[in-house]
Amino acid sequence: MSVSAPLSSRLPDFTWDSLDAAATLAAAHPGGLINLSMGTPVDPVPPVIRQALADASDAPGYPLTAGTVELRRAMLAWVSRACGAGVDGLGVLPTIGSKELVAWLPTLLGIGPGDVVVIPSI
């Protein structure tokens, strides 16, 4: 019986810091950065977004969890560009927010008894 490597050794490095460069680049564009992170919004909602929400307000039901094919392809392309990762066999799952991802992550990663989970202090 061989001993497999711990689950943590198969996970990528923490990539949150990679967003700093993207935020700097976005801030340099005309109109600046639109911050959609957690907190209190400080920017007005653009009219085009308000109209799109109003137009879709009578569409009952929740959106598909898996997202559209186009969205998943775009996510895979980003992973390939930003992380230099191969995407063959890679699965992506859009989530409504980070809490949903955090809640599902142990299941998606197959974490079980005896596995170690580390929560970084940011």
Side-chain angles (χ1 to χ4, degrees):
M1 173 189 235
S2 65
V3 176
S4 64
L7 177 64
S8 60
S9 69
R10 300 188 311 262
L11 297 175
D13 291 335
F14 191 61
T15 58
W16 188 261
D17 293 335
S18 67
L19 296 177
D20 290 340
T24 300
L25 179 63
H29 284 274
L33 170 70
I34 297 175
N35 187 346
L36 299 176
S37 64
M38 188 170 68
T40 303
V42 295
D43 297 315
V45 176
V48 66
I49 294 174
R50 293 178 58 167
Q51 186 61 51
L53 289 170
D55 292 346
S57 65
D58 194 27
Y62 291 106
L64 295 175
T65 301
T68 64
V69 171
E70 293 82 9
L71 175 60
R72 292 192 309 275
R73 284 184 186 145
M75 292 168 68
L76 289 170
W78 179 87
V79 169
S80 179
R81 283 191 318 273
C83 303
V87 296
D88 287 342
L90 179 65
V92 294
L93 178 67
T95 62
I96 295 169
S98 58
K99 291 177 189 170
E100 181 186 10
L101 173 63
V102 169
W104 271 102
L105 201 52
T107 300
L108 296 173
L109 293 174
I111 294 174
D115 289 331
V116 176
V117 176
V118 176
I119 301 172
S121 175
I122 301 174

